[in-house]
């Protein structure tokens, strides 16, 4: 491993460690009072995971395994969105630098984990977390990822709920690209998140999809995300919104 600033250049030419540090001073870029249709997209995606027996979550069972994958952001399809964060930070309040990849364009945007869900909802055991977008993000909004077990039936599911809109601060060219491709890419991202988690829980019950990668003290997520030489040739935009 190289020393100095170069080791923190996780994504091509971008000094991820510096950008991540700068997020500490960034604020959430919207107010909840603004969220309403039709200006905002309000969505829920969900799918079943392998069921358990009725009752509390089984030790080492579907619900617990899925929670581990969700905690570590392993469900994110790395060809669309990958992330870097400091694992020493508590989950609640953690800043994450996301890299949204669209062909030769790579956008670097900050989010902050503002909620950790750990509750009972009737007969359902629910665990998960949510992040909100920070200043400079392509979008404005919030996404919650939750693993749910219905203890009366044993059914286990993964639910993604979100509200969002494109940032009004986007430049003209990026705004046009968002209007043309943003919504389809967003929907595809959430569908692939669900499909990945289903696949991992079913076929690799205890292991992440790849070997965890660290750059300095930072962790890449998901663990099968990799840097490629051609990444350096992409157009990199930090905080495009």
């Amino acid at each position: 491993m190289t020393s100095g600033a170069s080791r923190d250049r996780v994504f091509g030419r971008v000094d991820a460690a510096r950008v991540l540090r700068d997020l500490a001073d960034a604020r959430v870029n919207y107010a909840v009072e603004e969220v309403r249709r039709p200006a905002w997209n309000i969505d829920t995606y969900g799918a079943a995971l392998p069921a358990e027996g009725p009752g509390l979550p089984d030790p080492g069972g579907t619900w617990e395994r899925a929670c581990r994958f969700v905690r570590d952001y392993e469900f994110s399809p790395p060809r669309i969105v990958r992330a870097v964060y400091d694992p020493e930070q508590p989950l609640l309040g953690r800043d994450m630098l996301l890299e949204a990849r669209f062909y030769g364009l790579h956008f670097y945007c900050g989010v902050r984990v503002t909620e950790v869900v750990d509750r009972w909802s009737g007969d359902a055991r629910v665990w998960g977390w949510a992040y909100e977008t920070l200043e400079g993000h392509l979008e404005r909004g919030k996404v919650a990822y939750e693993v749910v077990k219905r203890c009366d039936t044993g059914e286990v599911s993964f639910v993604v709920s979100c509200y969002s809109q494109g940032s009004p601060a986007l430049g003209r060219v990026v705004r046009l690209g968002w209007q043309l491709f943003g919504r389809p890419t967003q929907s595809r991202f959430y569908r692939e998140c669900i499909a990945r988690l289903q696949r991992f829980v079913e076929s690799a019950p205890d292991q992440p999809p790849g070997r965890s990668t660290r750059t300095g003290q930072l962790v890449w997520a998901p663990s099968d995300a990799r840097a490629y030489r051609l990444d350096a040739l992409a157009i990199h935009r930090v905080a495009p919104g």
Side-chain angles (χ1 to χ4, degrees):
M1 180 178 294
T2 58
S3 60
S6 63
R7 69 181 180 184
D8 294 323
R9 297 182 185 276
V10 175
F11 302 127
R13 299 188 301 268
V14 173
D15 186 343
R18 179 187 60 78
V19 178
L20 186 62
R21 286 194 301 270
D22 290 345
L23 295 181
D25 297 323
R27 297 173 296 178
V28 171
N29 64 354
Y30 76 100
V32 175
E33 294 76 19
E34 300 177 72
V35 180
R36 60 178 63 88
R37 291 189 172 100
W40 290 69
N41 299 310
I42 303 175
D43 302 300
T44 300
Y45 302 83
L49 300 174
E52 299 182 348
L56 296 175
D58 296 338
T62 295
W63 187 85
E64 286 193 357
R65 297 197 307 269
C67 287
R68 287 199 294 271
F69 287 124
V70 170
R71 178 197 63 201
D72 296 336
Y73 205 61
E74 290 289 356
F75 56 82
S76 181
R79 69 179 180 275
I80 301 177
V81 175
R82 48 184 76 180
V84 63
Y85 63 89
D86 182 353
E88 298 302 317
Q89 281 192 324
L91 179 58
L92 183 61
R94 175 181 293 170
D95 290 336
M96 301 172 64
L97 178 64
L98 305 185
E99 179 199 46
R101 301 163 64 91
F102 184 77
Y103 295 100
L105 300 174
H106 295 181
F107 298 103
Y108 305 90
C109 305
V111 298
R112 179 169 297 138
V113 179
T114 55
E115 183 179 5
V116 174
V117 179
D118 189 359
R119 70 174 189 268
W120 286 90
S121 179
D123 289 328
R125 181 73 175 91
V126 185
W127 188 88
W129 53 277
Y131 60 59
E132 293 182 270
T133 53
L134 300 178
E135 293 167 324
H137 201 290
L138 281 167
E139 300 179 65
R140 304 199 300 163
K142 180 178 181 178
V143 187
Y145 304 103
E146 297 179 341
V147 185
V148 182
K149 177 176 181 180
R150 290 190 54 185
C151 297
D152 54 342
T153 65
E155 295 171 296
V156 182
S157 59
F158 178 44
V159 180
V160 180
S161 54
C162 52
Y163 52 78
S164 66
Q165 67 170 196
S167 170
L170 294 176
R172 185 180 307 172
V173 174
V174 177
R175 183 183 302 116
L176 176 61
W178 179 259
Q179 291 171 346
L180 293 174
F181 303 110
R183 182 62 171 161
T185 301
Q186 180 188 58
S187 298
R188 181 165 62 94
F189 169 72
Y190 293 127
R191 290 195 303 270
E192 292 197 20
C193 284
I194 290 171
R196 271 174 66 91
L197 188 65
Q198 287 177 310
R199 186 167 68 252
F200 297 158
V201 170
E202 292 170 359
S203 63
D206 298 310
Q207 299 296 326
R211 184 175 180 180
S212 181
T213 301
R214 285 179 178 259
T215 302
Q217 67 180 19
L218 306 181
V219 168
W220 304 25
S223 58
D224 54 344
R226 293 291 179 267
Y228 302 99
R229 289 186 178 182
L230 290 179
D231 287 349
L233 302 178
I235 297 174
H236 299 263
R237 291 286 306 277
V238 176

